[in-house]
């Protein structure tokens, strides 16, 4: 019987893995092997495979003899390579023992460092390094870690021994403990373990090793790791690998050291090798900030470190070696690298390399440069930037160096920073803005009546509502910063006061927030404007080369439309008509229409609205030459337009000649228990056909007018909230009838499309039939998510956080399209729709149209376009390009 | 080339069709042929097939020569058979020309009678019958009908000529017109057609025939027929057949006559031949009620007709022939028949036979008798009664003979008649009932707080809400009469007045309504109690023999449960736990729980509720020995339980020691925009696990208690509103943990099931995964319909009628399960669920569980049971039996 291979060596003399073997060796093991493959100076070691982990669990949590034998063989190879010996009294070899699953689970599983320390090797280490304090401290730390991880002892009792000793010696810092103190502490630790827990610390390094490998395997199934996997949908059956690697120390003396470097500048992207180091130090010392790290070269100098010697000056050989390595690594990984290194007694070791974090501007420059340098193809470059990162590029942001007082954190509902005077009322907002003031509209939650105030405000801040609440959706559509669902806000609308974090603010007081982070600050915090670089333009052009889906925008006024086109939008995917109804000169006519008792009265009111709507469409069509414009007919329930203030009720009563009481009664009769599922969308078109007729007429009259001015108008009329084919058939017949009337009256015609918004499960299920009456489908995945889950986006804020925390919904389904449930319906509808009508045009206009994972789904199910808010157009362009590349 | 067959003769000498040929000959044509097949004396004729209709439309709306030739051949056969000749001057043959599609479309298409009348045949007919008035009246009617149907003339101008003549003669009734008057009128008619419309009435009978057949074919596509087909989902491509049948007249003199008879008594079902007739009369005279029809035999005599001579006395031969025929027909159709006959000059003709309408008690007796007589098998008998008819059997109804003043008509939401004093408030209702009063609870719409009042009221009457509004659902569950959505009610709750039909009622005034018809009456109308016959018991036993699905009931108290078991329920399919929370001694604890700020405070409140819940379950388990009881954990949003009255708010504030203002603030924070899609169902279990733990504990403690008393308890615990498998997994783990605690504490165990209610589209879509965590699925099709359609049942009353009227939804989807949309999800879920877990138990507990078409669907998709309100259990038993028989 051939022996199964459980152990894979990595290092200079034998390297058995590479980066493709993550499932077997874990991510860390595979990457260590990859670096060895490149002949980099990586401390040698071996990986105990994930298969060994599964074997361990199958055999009563024991390591088989076969595995142990293979470990011993690999260990002896490391001894040969390093010239050290495990447990040796003169030149002892020490190991780190680390977990490593196929996907990183940071902090979830256990690690043991300095394995191999005992009463003998500590002395050898002290002698060899000439640094007794270092040796005893390493030993003390090892005992503490081993007790915790392997012996499962609550080590707070060991911590308190350390504190007791410091108190006895009147020390303040751990660093004041000298070698003798630490030696004493090691004795105390061993004693406590024996007396308090009845456990003996094992002196035998082999015993330490077997126990540590087992403990790391066991940590795969500790409760927090299991929970983490559950939340991330990772399988329990993967198992973890264990990496046993020889220890190197940067703190053994003045010829040792440690550092971090970047192959390019992570802030600007400039092609400059860049880094910091400390001699006689460990990695944590660089981070801790007690000593100022030195620059590795002149390019890395700044005001605080320019007096320190560079690594190049201190050790030219090591520096040259490092330069050689970074160039190799960048070429190999085809990306800017973030490299950790340690120098042990003059010898350089690479501990880790990874793609470096960078600002979005740096990311763009690096991608463009790497293509120019011939390292990346354009296609590879396009894959290098996560689409969401572009968002940071497009909005103003808070000056990171300014002083700020944080008050609260809400949901980052629409990106960008905003400062202004607090106002609680949309009308007041409009008045103040007329006088040149900058305001922040602060509301419990916004409603369609707040559109005017939202439009003039610098930003919107709400106490209730989730990522897809009214405030969030409208703000994103407007490209306005918004923090929503900031539950710490206590708004008293009567007194016009706002309490946050124990402080009270009045209207007129200043406030600032960052819609990208959800943070709310006191007073005015300075902001920095977004600057769009040439690299961005170059990069986006490459993306557009590979993209197959079109990108449209959701916009309902020329201003937003213009922004979207500048960002690369190729049409309007959703033009809502209802926002247009709230302007002061129109709302009264809207209300007259609602309160009309007969069809004739309703027509009179609609006749007043017609010219307004026609103008709206004309102004949009004018900026959309050769680009399609998809207009949705009236959608919200009528009661959203009702008057609330007594003065408004009085005004309306006067106009239609009834008692204000009658208005109140009608308001009551329009009340709905669940307006989301009520008398709205095409149901209005079925019960009041004259409303949709007016809108269709306005669209076509506007289109003919603009066409006569030489512009190529491509109008698409969209019927919302369809649940049944007959419903659509009847409404399409009505619309075509009205359009023919306009054609005859004007003696001119134009091409148009009529289709429907699929936003109810039943519409998706019966899409094969519905397609017969539709030129296009546009998926309204906001409402489709609400109905598929039975989940009101305006109410879900109370319990969705709890759902995300427990890992029930891995991500808010209003943020990223639920591919399993909602996606099932979308896919079914596209398939059945195209089966009935092969040239059916399909797109998405819900909020998901601007979210990369959702866009990838849209590409896979064969949508023709996605539509998103103007500021997300570039993100959508890049995401669509990446999907096209990924799925070939 | 063989000629295609377009024409099918029926009659004594040649009969080419039978009842299986409905698609080709239409329903009427096929049935005429079937009667001829039985050698019954049916006036001969022929059917122009539906294929000829399609051919007509394919050829520019013209009859082909081939069809015309075949018609001429068939016509000549009828002449031979009758010894009359079409257009003959001595013995003219006349025809009726009637439409007949494969499914009856009553009144939608056209008919022409007396075809063949002209200036010559009218004289012949007068001479032959010795009845000139009859002949001229027939001619006048023919011209009028022909002008209308064939010449497409608006015949109101002819009507006014008739009225003018009556006025000139000072007649009041048409019958006063004599032969000369009618002859004059015929001339006037012809003149008007020529002068006003430029059209000549054709004297040539063949021209009349071709034009009439064409006109009937054309009527297939008249707007009302098209609309009717659209509404009923009938295909435009079916076409209609045309039946050309020789006319017979019952009004040619004293040896002629007409009548209607039933083969059994349609009121009681007794096996007694039963009927009425009139000599020298036409069918319409029997109906018109101007002359009192005579009894055909002694058995048919009653107070008003007993002095008249029976048919048996007048013409024994005809009577005997009729007896012979009725026996033949009943045996042939295996059902009680309703037969129309005409006697023309002593010769009997059968014009129509059909299954006779009957009362439900008669239907049961007839079915049982026919089995005893050996005519029907038990299986055939079970198919004879429409399940919904049983409903009339189970509820009291209004005395049909009592005087009543109708006030309004609402939705027939829960059957049965009820009288009582008007009350507008649940508490007042309870007080009055404590004093022995009978009350009708009148509300805009009920809410869960009204449970107490609904429970004591005789019936519930609401102004708003549809067939599945709260009032309707709860009333049906209680078996209480209810009229809902009676929009004519103007309720003023402050003044405690009710206006209907211009009349004002105060609380304490009496009112009556019929929940089966939706009618509301003034004052007290006497009612008749339901009596359940022995035939019912026998019949239902047969049904149960064939049934494969189990029938359960939705009930949440021992009283309803008992009724359901008496009606044959085999378990509880849905026991709602929330109704139990409203009792006065409990609601305060519920509110304490809701307002608890910490988990500990919440536990204290829940500990108060635990004993109540345990008692509830004990009392139900006790009547459910050996029968499963499915208990749903808390489902409604918490704000349904909140206090509204100031006194209640004050009381609660005192108990939990806060200011009443705090209560108001908490109330506000619990407000939801769309409670249907809000924080309810299992979402409560996820955020407040202790609530579900308390309920699970109460169920299991109660079960163990009752088990110790020797009763076999089969508890099933149902988690509502699941949208995701992980959600269920977590809640099931919690429940099992609590159950194990109870088992350990009590040192006793019991078998139980835990499953879920599938009521959201996403749950159905992902059912394959959810099944892994569920012992059973129960489809909550009320909520599933709401979410699949995006349609709130409480709000849909405003527009659903318009949807039904336009044929968009052929039937209210809350009444009959939408098989195409909602059904798709149910079928998908059952299939995927059973794929994952073959022994998964599946049922339905929505309102549809008591509706026959929906039950048929449930059978077809393989559900194990349906659950419905107690009073619908017999209906469900029968419907399930019929489905099992139908689908083998």
């Amino acid at each position: 019987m051939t022996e199964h291979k459980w152990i894979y060596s990595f290092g200079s003399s034998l390297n058995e893995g590479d980066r493709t073997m993550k499932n077997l060796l874990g991510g860390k093991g595979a990457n260590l092997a990859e670096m060895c493959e490149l002949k980099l100076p990586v401390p040698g070691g071996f990986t105990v495979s994930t298969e060994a982990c599964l074997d361990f669990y199958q055999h009563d949590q024991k390591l088989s003899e076969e595995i142990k034998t293979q470990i011993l063989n690999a260990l002896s190879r490391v001894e040969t390579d390093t010239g050290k010996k495990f447990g040796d009294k003169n030149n002892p070899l020490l190991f780190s023992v680390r977990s490593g699953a196929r996907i990183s689970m940071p902090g979830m599983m256990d690690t043991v460092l300095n394995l191999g320390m005992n009463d003998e090797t500590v002395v050898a280490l002290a002698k060899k390094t000439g640094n007794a304090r270092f040796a005893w401290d390493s030993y003390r730390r090892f005992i503490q870690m081993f007790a915790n991880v392997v012996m499962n002892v609550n080590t707070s009792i060991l911590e308190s021994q350390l504190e007791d000793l410091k108190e006895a010696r009147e020390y303040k810092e751990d660093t004041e403990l000298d070698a003798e103190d630490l030696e004493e502490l090691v004795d105390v630790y061993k004693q406590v373990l024996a007396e308090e827990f009845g456990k003996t610390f094992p002196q035998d390094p082999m015993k330490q090793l077997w126990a540590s490998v087992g403990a790391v395997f066991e940590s795969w199934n500790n409760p927090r790791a299991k929970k983490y996997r559950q939340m991330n949908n990772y399988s329990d059956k993967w198992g973890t690998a264990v990496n046993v690697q020889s220890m190197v120390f940067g703190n053994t003396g003045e010829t040792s050291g440690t550092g971090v470097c970047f192959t390019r500048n992570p802030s600007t992207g400039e092609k400059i090798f860049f880094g910091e180091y400390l001699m006689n130090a460990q990695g944590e010392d660089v981070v801790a900030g007690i000593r100022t790290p030195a620059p590795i070269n002149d390019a890395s100098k700044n005001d605080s470190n320019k007096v320190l010697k560079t690594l190049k000056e201190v050790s030219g050989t090591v520096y040259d070696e490092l330069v050689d390595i970074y160039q190799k690594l960048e070429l190999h990984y085809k990306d800017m690298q973030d490299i950790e290194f340690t120098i042990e007694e003059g010898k350089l070791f690479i501990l880790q390399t990874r793609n470096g974090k960078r600002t979005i501007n740096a990311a763009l420059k690096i991608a463009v440069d790497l293509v120019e340098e011939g390292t990346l193809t354009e296609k590879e470059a396009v894959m290098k930037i996560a689409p969401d990162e572009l968002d940071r590029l497009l909005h103003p942001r808070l000056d990171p160096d300014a002083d700020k007082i944080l008050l609260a954190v809400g949901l980052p509902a629409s990106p960008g920073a905003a400062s202004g005077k607090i106002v609680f009322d949309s009308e007041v907002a409009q008045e103040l803005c007329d006088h040149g003031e900058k305001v922040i509209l602060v509301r419990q939650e916004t409603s369609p009546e707040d559109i005017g105030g939202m439009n003039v405000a610098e930003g919107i801040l709400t106490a209730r509502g989730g990522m897809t609440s009214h405030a969030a959706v409208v703000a994103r559509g407007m490209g306005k910063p918004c923090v929503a669902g900031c539950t710490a806000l206590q708004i008293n609308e009567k007194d016009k006061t706002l309490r946050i974090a124990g402080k009270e603010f009045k209207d007129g007081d200043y406030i600032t927030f960052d819609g990208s982070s959800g943070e709310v600050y006191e007073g005015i915090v300075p902001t920095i404007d977004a600057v769009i670089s040439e690299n961005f333009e170059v990069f986006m052009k490459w993306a557009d080369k590979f993209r197959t889906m079109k990108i449209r925008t959701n916009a309902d006024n020329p201003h937003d439309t213009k922004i979207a086109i500048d960002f690369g939008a190729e049409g309007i995917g959703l033009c809502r008509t209802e926002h247009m109804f709230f302007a002061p000169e129109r709302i009264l006519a809207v209300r007259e229409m609602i309160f009309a008792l007969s069809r004739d009265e309703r027509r009179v009111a609609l006749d007043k609205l017609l010219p307004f709507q026609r103008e709206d469409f004309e102004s949009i069509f004018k900026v959309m030459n050769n680009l399609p414009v998809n207009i949705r007919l009236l959608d919200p329930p009528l009661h959203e337009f009702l008057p609330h203030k007594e003065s408004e009720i009085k005004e309306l009563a006067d106009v239609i000649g009834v008692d204000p009481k009658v208005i109140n009664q009608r308001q009551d009769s329009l009340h709905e228990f669940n307006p989301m599922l009520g008398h709205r969308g095409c149901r209005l078109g079925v019960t009041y056909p004259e409303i949709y007729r007016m809108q269709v007429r306005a669209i076509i009259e506007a289109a003919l007018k603009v066409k006569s001015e030489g512009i190529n108008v491509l109008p698409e009329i969209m019927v919302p909230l369809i649940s049944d084919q007959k419903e659509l058939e009847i409404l399409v017949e009505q619309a075509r009838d009205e359009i023919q009337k306009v054609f005859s009256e004007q003696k001119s015609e134009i091409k148009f499309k009529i289709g429907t918004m699929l936003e109810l499960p039943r519409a998706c299920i019966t899409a094969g039939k519905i397609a017969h009456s539709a030129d296009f489908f546009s998926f309204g995945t906001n409402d489709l998510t609400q109905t598929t889950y039975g989940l009101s986006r305006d109410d879900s804020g109370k319990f969705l956080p709890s759902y995300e925390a427990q890992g029930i919904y891995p991500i808010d389904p209003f943020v990223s399209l639920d591919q399993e449930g909602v996606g099932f319906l979308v896919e079914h509808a596209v398939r059945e729709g195209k089966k009935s009508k092969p040239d059916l045009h399909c797109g998405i206009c819900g909020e998901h149209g601007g979210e990369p994972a959702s866009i990838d789904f849209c590409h896979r199910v064969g949508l023709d376009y996605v539509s998103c808010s103007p500021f997300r157009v570039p993100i959508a362009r890049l995401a669509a390009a990446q999907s096209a590349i990924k799925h070939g």
Side-chain angles (χ1 to χ4, degrees), chain A:
Chain A
M1 196 176 102
T2 323
E3 222 177 47
H4 186 80
K5 185 163 180 58
W6 303 105
I7 308 299
Y8 292 76
S9 290
F10 55 85
S12 50
S13 70
L14 178 65
N15 192 51
E16 303 180 301
D18 63 43
R19 63 172 155 177
T20 65
M21 294 163 75
K22 285 190 177 163
N23 291 359
L24 184 65
L25 305 183
K28 187 187 292 285
N31 275 326
L32 284 168
E34 181 79 10
M35 285 198 290
C36 295
E37 198 63 29
L38 295 175
K39 303 291 173 206
L40 301 187
V42 172
F46 54 88
T47 303
V48 188
S49 74
T50 54
E51 290 176 354
C53 179
L54 303 181
D55 183 79
F56 175 81
Y57 277 103
Q58 271 159 27
H59 294 95
D60 216 11
Q61 311 203 19
K62 287 206 175 74
L63 291 172
S64 71
E65 287 309 314
E66 190 173 286
I67 292 173
K68 282 187 173 177
T69 308
Q70 290 187 17
I71 287 178
L72 288 174
N73 289 339
L75 191 152
S76 115
R77 189 199 54 77
V78 180
E79 289 178 331
T80 311
D81 286 355
T82 55
K84 299 178 183 175
K85 251 187 113 53
F86 191 45
D88 193 60
K89 290 177 202 174
N90 299 310
N91 192 13
L93 177 60
L94 300 180
F95 283 113
S96 65
V97 178
R98 286 187 168 95
S99 64
R102 65 168 72 173
I103 293 178
S104 170
M105 293 166 57
M108 292 300 128
M109 291 183 290
D110 291 330
T111 290
V112 180
L113 300 178
N114 301 349
L115 186 114
M117 294 296 280
N118 61 20
D119 293 351
E120 292 179 345
T121 53
V122 67
V123 176
L125 195 64
K127 197 192 287 172
K128 187 166 171 282
T129 59
N131 190 335
R133 188 190 183 283
F134 155 69
W136 284 103
D137 195 39
S138 299
Y139 191 19
R140 173 194 70 84
R141 285 171 195 265
F142 173 56
I143 295 176
Q144 199 167 333
M145 206 177 259
F146 190 87
N148 178 20
V149 171
V150 186
M151 298 165 97
N152 282 315
V153 158
N154 182 340
T155 51
S156 60
I157 193 166
L158 302 184
E159 293 281 358
S160 60
Q161 295 296 338
L162 178 95
E163 294 304 318
D164 288 351
L165 185 68
K166 275 162 68 185
E167 208 174 314
R169 300 276 194 278
E170 295 182 355
Y171 297 159
K172 279 186 178 160
E173 302 295 331
D174 287 9
T175 45
E176 293 174 68
L177 294 162
D178 64 16
E180 283 75 38
D181 294 334
L182 292 162
E183 189 175 350
E184 186 183 328
L185 209 53
V186 163
D187 274 343
V188 172
Y189 277 11
K190 288 193 282 194
Q191 204 176 324
V192 168
L193 287 175
E195 286 173 9
E196 299 283 330
F197 301 102
K199 295 190 176 184
T200 313
F201 169 76
Q203 290 290 325
D204 178 356
M206 282 318 301
K207 277 193 185 161
Q208 293 173 3
L209 179 62
W210 302 138
S212 296
V213 171
V216 172
F217 278 157
E218 278 169 16
S219 73
W220 171 252
N221 270 340
N222 73 34
R224 71 172 185 279
K226 283 176 90 164
K227 189 89 200 166
Y228 185 87
R229 288 197 296 274
Q230 195 183 37
M231 282 176 59
N232 289 281
N233 250 323
Y234 297 163
S235 169
D236 284 342
K237 291 175 189 154
W238 290 349
T240 184
V242 176
N243 298 293
V244 181
Q245 187 175 23
S246 51
M247 293 285 301
V248 290
F249 296 96
N251 55 345
T252 58
E254 287 311 314
T255 58
S256 298
T258 188
V260 176
C261 57
F262 293 87
T263 61
R264 301 182 185 229
N265 184 318
S267 298
T268 64
E270 273 179 298
K271 196 181 176 185
I272 290 171
F273 183 46
F274 182 90
E276 294 176 327
Y277 79 105
L278 274 175
M279 293 312 275
N280 196 10
Q282 281 190 302
E284 61 216 55
D285 299 325
V286 181
V287 181
I290 296 167
R291 290 160 63 190
T292 302
I296 55 168
N297 53 17
D298 289 344
S300 307
K301 282 187 174 171
N302 61 31
D303 283 351
S304 59
N305 68 12
K306 63 187 171 194
V307 297
L308 301 171
K309 276 196 180 164
T310 65
L311 179 62
K312 199 173 176 180
E313 291 162 345
V314 169
S315 170
T317 339
V318 168
Y319 180 76
D320 289 346
E321 202 185 340
L322 194 56
V323 167
D324 200 49
I325 285 168
Y326 97 71
Q327 287 168 342
K328 212 173 190 175
L329 280 171
E330 193 181 83
L331 262 178
H332 183 70
Y333 286 102
K334 296 184 168 190
D335 205 344
M336 187 264 270
Q337 295 296 298
D338 167 354
I339 301 164
E340 289 176 20
F341 61 91
T342 285
I343 307 161
E344 189 184 59
E345 293 168 10
K347 181 163 165 40
L348 177 68
F349 291 95
I350 304 298
L351 299 184
Q352 183 162 298
T353 187
R354 55 188 167 192
N355 294 340
K357 289 215 172 3
R358 66 206 78 177
T359 65
I360 177 62
N361 275 314
L364 286 167
K365 176 159 176 56
I366 291 168
V368 171
D369 286 353
L370 285 173
V371 171
E372 278 173 13
E373 292 161 22
T375 304
L376 288 183
T377 63
E378 290 176 1
K379 196 185 260 190
E380 285 169 337
V382 165
M383 297 305 285
K384 286 286 182 189
I385 294 178
D388 268 332
E389 288 186 35
L390 295 179
D391 208 27
R392 271 179 273 158
L393 204 66
L394 310 171
H395 300 278
R397 59 203 171 87
L398 293 180
D399 182 348
D401 300 326
D403 290 333
K404 338 187 217 303
I405 301 165
L406 183 68
L407 294 172
V409 180
L411 299 172
S414 180
S419 291
K421 284 187 172 175
I422 295 170
V423 290
F424 298 99
D425 182 300
S426 274
E427 286 186 25
V428 176
Q430 283 165 286
E431 278 168 33
L432 283 174
C433 291
D434 286 347
H435 293 84
E437 302 269 15
K438 292 190 170 185
V439 304
I440 301 290
L441 183 63
V442 179
R443 304 276 291 147
Q444 289 288 0
E445 162 60 315
T446 59
S447 73
E449 290 177 84
D450 290 315
I451 296 288
M454 296 173 77
N455 206 23
V456 298
E458 298 300 304
I460 299 104
L461 178 59
T462 71
R464 293 201 196 142
M467 288 297 285
T468 49
S469 60
H470 179 267
V473 172
V474 174
R476 282 196 293 274
M478 291 177 168
K480 281 257 169 206
C482 174
V483 169
C486 186
T487 50
L489 306 187
Q490 291 176 277
I491 299 173
N492 188 327
E493 294 188 355
K494 259 191 215 155
D495 303 350
K496 306 217 168 195
T497 59
L498 167 67
R499 288 188 69 82
I500 331 178
K503 295 182 183 177
E504 184 165 296
F505 299 86
K506 284 186 221 111
D507 62 334
D509 289 347
Y510 282 97
I511 200 163
T512 297
F513 68 78
D514 181 349
S516 310
S517 67
E519 292 163 338
V520 181
Y521 298 97
E522 193 171 334
I524 297 182
V525 180
T527 59
I528 301 174
D529 266 353
V531 184
I532 289 181
S533 66
E534 202 180 314
N535 291 321
F536 173 77
E537 303 290 349
V538 171
F539 181 83
M540 291 308 292
K541 242 177 234 158
W542 294 339
D544 289 344
K545 272 195 206 169
F546 302 108
R547 176 159 62 83
T548 55
M549 281 195 297
K550 295 276 180 190
I551 310 299
R552 295 195 188 186
T553 191
N554 303 341
D556 51 23
N557 60 63
H559 172 258
D560 291 355
T561 308
K562 187 71 181 42
I563 292 174
I565 290 182
D566 289 347
F567 278 146
E570 297 161 299
I572 291 182
L574 175 63
C575 173
R576 299 179 181 89
T577 50
E578 53 269 19
H579 291 171
M580 305 169 177
F581 281 16
F582 283 100
E585 69 276 19
R586 305 175 181 193
I587 187 70
L588 193 64
V590 174
R591 289 171 183 162
E592 276 180 67
M593 169 189 89
I594 295 171
F595 283 91
L597 287 172
S598 70
R599 197 149 282 195
D600 286 339
E601 275 179 40
R602 199 171 301 116
R603 279 217 191 86
V604 171
L606 286 166
D607 284 347
K608 294 185 193 168
L609 285 170
L610 175 64
F612 290 121
Q613 286 255 291
R614 194 169 47 217
E615 279 165 34
D616 294 328
F617 298 134
E618 273 179 36
S619 64
I620 290 173
F621 288 150
K622 278 183 186 165
V623 292
M624 296 297 287
N625 191 13
N626 290 318
L627 297 176
V629 179
N630 182 315
I631 298 166
R632 180 176 72 182
L633 300 180
L634 191 67
D635 183 56
L638 296 181
H639 51 69
E640 287 198 3
F641 302 103
L642 295 182
H644 296 293
K645 292 187 186 161
E646 281 202 22
S647 60
E648 291 174 331
I649 293 173
K650 180 82 174 48
E651 185 186 9
L652 180 61
D654 285 349
V655 169
I656 59 176
V658 299
D659 195 85
K661 266 191 196 167
V662 176
I663 304 284
N664 285 323
Q665 280 166 6
R666 289 294 310 276
Q667 308 249 54
D668 283 352
S669 80
L670 283 170
H671 168 264
E672 293 189 308
F673 296 97
N674 294 290
M676 161 69 206
L677 310 176
H679 194 182
R680 53 170 285 236
C682 68
R683 294 163 191 168
L684 298 170
V686 169
T687 50
Y688 306 122
E690 51 282 1
I691 298 180
Y692 276 13
R693 280 187 182 263
M694 179 279 283
Q695 293 198 297
V696 167
R697 171 171 286 270
I699 292 166
I700 297 298
E701 287 183 354
L704 290 175
K705 175 91 183 303
V706 174
K707 181 192 167 197
S708 72
E709 295 164 14
I711 287 170
N712 183 21
V713 190
L714 303 170
E716 301 177 351
I717 297 169
M718 180 154 72
V719 182
L721 211 74
I722 285 291
S723 64
D724 190 278
Q725 184 267 335
K726 277 191 191 161
E727 192 179 32
L728 183 60
E729 184 185 304
I730 288 170
L731 292 169
V732 167
E733 264 174 35
Q734 269 172 23
R736 290 191 187 277
D737 179 66
E738 192 69 27
I739 291 169
Q740 284 309 324
K741 279 188 196 158
V742 179
F743 286 171
S744 311
E745 289 163 17
Q746 311 250 332
K747 298 193 178 45
S748 173
E749 300 205 351
I750 195 164
K751 277 196 183 165
F752 63 91
K753 286 183 179 174
I754 305 185
T756 182
M757 191 150 164
L758 293 199
E759 48 190 331
L760 295 175
R762 194 174 191 278
C764 293
I765 294 167
T766 63
K769 279 172 76 180
I770 289 177
H772 292 300
S773 299
D775 297 328
F776 62 82
F777 284 171
S778 176
F779 291 93
T781 51
N782 293 356
D783 281 3
L784 189 59
T785 300
Q786 296 199 74
T787 46
T788 304
Y789 274 91
L791 192 62
S792 161
R793 65 182 191 191
D794 291 323
D795 301 312
S796 61
K798 283 172 201 151
F799 50 91
L800 266 196
S802 176
Y803 269 63
E804 287 181 62
Q806 297 188 47
I808 297 175
Y809 300 159
I811 183 166
D812 181 341
F814 294 116
V815 171
S816 189
L817 186 100
D818 157 47
Q819 300 185 14
E820 191 180 0
V822 177
F824 172 91
L825 291 171
V826 172
E827 193 172 2
H828 176 89
V830 173
R831 188 177 58 243
E832 296 300 315
K834 295 208 170 182
K835 212 184 275 172
S836 296
K837 188 178 272 185
D839 64 342
L840 186 78
H841 201 235
C842 295
I844 181 177
C845 62
E847 285 280 307
H848 299 114
E851 192 273 331
S854 312
I855 292 171
D856 190 62
F857 172 83
C858 294
H859 178 90
R860 279 185 279 121
V861 300
L863 294 196
D864 299 296
Y865 69 87
V866 301
S867 186
C868 57
S869 55
F871 279 86
R872 292 197 76 84
V873 167
I875 296 164
R877 283 163 68 196
L878 178 54
Q882 293 186 348
S883 296
I885 293 169
K886 210 157 64 186
H887 307 293

